[in-house]
Amino acid sequence: MPHSNLNTLLSADALERVRAPLSQAWTLPPAAYTDPAVYALEEDRLFARSWQCVARVDQLKAPGDFITVDLPQHPIVVVRDLSGDLHAMSRVCVHRAMPVASGCGNARRFVCPYHNWTYELNGQLRSAPMMDGAEAFDTGAWRLAPLRLEVWQGFVFVNPDAEAEPLAPQLAGLDALIARYDFAELEVAETLHFDSPWNWKILTENFMEAYHHIGTHRQTFERVYPARDASVPDNGGAPWSFLHMPGKHDEAGPTSFPRLNQDERNALFAACVFPNFLFAASSTSGAWYQLHPRAHDQMDLEIHILLHPSLREAMSDASLKEMRGMFHAIHTEDIEANAGPWQGLQAAGTRQGRLSPFEKSIWQLNQLWLDTLTAATSSA
Ligand code: FES
Ligand SMILES: [Fe+2]
């Protein structure tokens, strides 16, 4: 279904202010967050064609382990098959569209609960009962629709677009910045769930700037990672952004990243792979903010705490609980910085604001957003 172009939904003047160099740039206009038509365009132009992170390899260790995820317009299942290969595919039954899996678990095959059509873990239809008499029906010709899948740093990414450029080469610059962080070795230790009834870009922007440490986190992050010390390297237009937050402490505690130098050990970073893969690391732990938009005013959010298995093993349950509490406390502060602007963006007189040069990641992500949503397409 062709949607209008972004240029028909937002004024040319507003878009030009977003396009301006960082020192002159403005925020996205309020309708970019609040207009359901903009969200519909994002579903068609952005999420239908982007690499999105859906799991960690450590969540799919054993043959048969699977996870279901709802990407915009694409309910999928991600599974490790019996020979150890990972697959991502639609979980919509090819018979009459019942989802063939839910939640997560371990399966030898997927059996649709409606009429028992049974699929191999690679999505191939294996059997369909009582179809004798159906002419020209060959189970071998039917399968759950596959999605592209790539593993990067232990994160499992999928892309609904069969023509998409491979992900890893686009992240070479980001790889260089996190070369001593061995994310592939980490495992999910804890997961926190949060209700997030606001536009997905509000959280993304909040995640990618340290400017708000002076307000939202003045009693917490600002003392260790002052807003003024943070910086964002150029990304050359590549689909990622990296926020470096040097720390004022001399970190000497147990680490999930043994190869870090002392400056890295003291620092915190946050990074985004456009559009919605958010991850972060201190010396102690990694974090993956798993965000999936649901509508213009709703997203799902899970915060996964990632630890090196040897560190997790050495930790008491009490200290893991304490760590979970810290993540909860910081995000509780950020919820105010999400819910407040969401309310404000819907007020009648709200207009575009000016960006601080300390919000360079937001500027970078805005350029990528505009590039994607204003690009000419053959289908439009
Ligand atoms: S809908 Fe799945 S078997 Fe009928
Ligand atoms: Fe924050």
Side-chain angles (χ1 to χ4, degrees):
M1 181 74 50
H3 277 283
S4 35
N5 192 287
L6 192 66
N7 298 309
T8 65
L9 297 169
L10 304 175
S11 85
D13 287 351
L15 297 183
E16 207 161 297
R17 290 188 204 95
V18 178
R19 273 288 187 211
L22 175 61
S23 60
Q24 300 162 25
W26 295 58
T27 64
L28 296 180
Y33 307 85
T34 60
D35 184 348
V38 173
Y39 179 72
L41 192 66
E42 290 177 331
E43 282 199 337
D44 281 1
R45 293 287 190 83
L46 187 53
F47 292 108
R49 300 173 187 185
S50 294
W51 289 100
Q52 292 153 85
C53 184
V54 291
R56 287 278 311 171
V57 287
D58 51 280
Q59 294 175 309
L60 299 164
K61 268 189 190 157
D65 281 354
F66 73 88
I67 287 184
T68 59
V69 180
D70 290 319
L71 301 179
Q73 299 177 330
H74 291 276
I76 64 163
V77 57
V78 188
V79 60
R80 190 177 293 281
D81 72 16
L82 299 179
S83 42
D85 294 330
L86 290 169
H87 300 271
M89 55 214 171
S90 163
R91 64 174 194 276
V92 176
C93 184
V94 297
H95 174 222
R96 278 174 43 220
M98 179 76 163
V100 302
S102 59
C104 58
N106 186 277
R108 291 195 67 79
R109 52 189 68 100
F110 298 115
V111 182
C112 179
Y114 201 175
H115 313 94
N116 298 353
W117 285 30
T118 300
Y119 299 86
E120 304 287 4
L121 296 180
N122 65 7
Q124 176 62 52
L125 182 62
R126 171 196 171 95
S127 63
M130 296 167 65
M131 288 293 282
D132 37 313
E135 289 178 14
F137 174 75
D138 170 14
T139 53
W142 296 83
R143 60 177 309 120
L144 299 170
L147 278 79
R148 295 272 301 283
L149 182 149
E150 246 188 72
V151 175
W152 179 80
Q153 304 273 3
F155 295 100
V156 181
F157 283 79
V158 303
N159 194 324
D161 180 4
E163 307 296 316
E165 295 287 320
L167 176 66
Q170 304 182 61
L171 303 184
L174 180 57
D175 273 316
L177 290 165
I178 61 170
R180 281 180 292 276
Y181 290 83
D182 297 313
F183 267 93
E185 293 180 12
L186 305 194
E187 296 189 1
V188 174
E190 286 284 316
T191 295
L192 294 80
H193 305 252
F194 290 96
D195 264 356
S196 304
W198 39 77
N199 185 269
W200 66 277
K201 295 187 293 299
I202 290 188
L203 175 79
T204 306
E205 293 176 1
N206 173 246
F207 190 85
M208 287 307 299
E209 52 94 346
Y211 185 25
H212 73 288
H213 289 189
I214 58 174
T216 304
H217 304 303
R218 58 193 170 279
Q219 305 295 350
T220 51
F221 275 168
E222 178 61 17
R223 293 163 184 233
V224 190
Y225 310 109
R228 195 165 273 285
D229 294 346
S231 63
V232 173
D234 289 338
N235 62 4
W240 53 265
S241 184
F242 182 84
L243 171 66
H244 175 55
M245 295 167 270
K248 281 177 36 172
H249 56 181
D250 214 12
E251 174 60 43
T255 180
S256 280
F257 304 104
R259 294 198 302 122
L260 300 187
N261 63 35
Q262 190 59 45
D263 281 348
E264 287 169 327
R265 213 162 264 221
N266 297 344
L268 177 68
F269 81 71
C272 175
V273 174
F274 183 73
N276 63 332
F277 172 55
L278 305 176
F279 72 115
S282 67
S283 167
T284 319
S285 62
W288 165 33
Y289 279 46
Q290 185 178 7
L291 171 179
H292 298 296
R294 287 283 151 265
H296 73 285
D297 58 355
Q298 187 76 45
M299 60 177 202
D300 290 345
L301 175 66
E302 289 187 334
I303 298 178
H304 304 282
I305 303 173
L306 308 173
L307 295 176
H308 195 282
S310 63
L311 173 57
R312 168 65 190 97
E313 213 152 287
M315 276 174 83
S316 66
D317 287 352
S319 42
L320 186 62
K321 200 170 165 202
E322 190 183 329
M323 179 179 285
R324 184 185 168 97
M326 276 166 36
F327 273 85
H328 194 278
I330 292 292
H331 190 64
T332 300
E333 292 180 345
D334 279 319
I335 282 177
E336 280 185 39
N338 284 223
W342 177 238
Q343 188 185 10
L345 283 164
Q346 293 167 89
T350 303
R351 302 202 194 296
Q352 272 177 298
R354 278 296 298 270
L355 282 179
S356 160
F358 282 88
E359 292 168 306
K360 181 173 172 183
S361 285
I362 297 179
W363 180 84
Q364 289 175 333
L365 297 171
N366 286 350
Q367 306 313 305
L368 294 163
W369 190 81
L370 283 183
D371 291 346
T372 310
L373 296 186
T374 59
T377 60
S378 48
S379 63

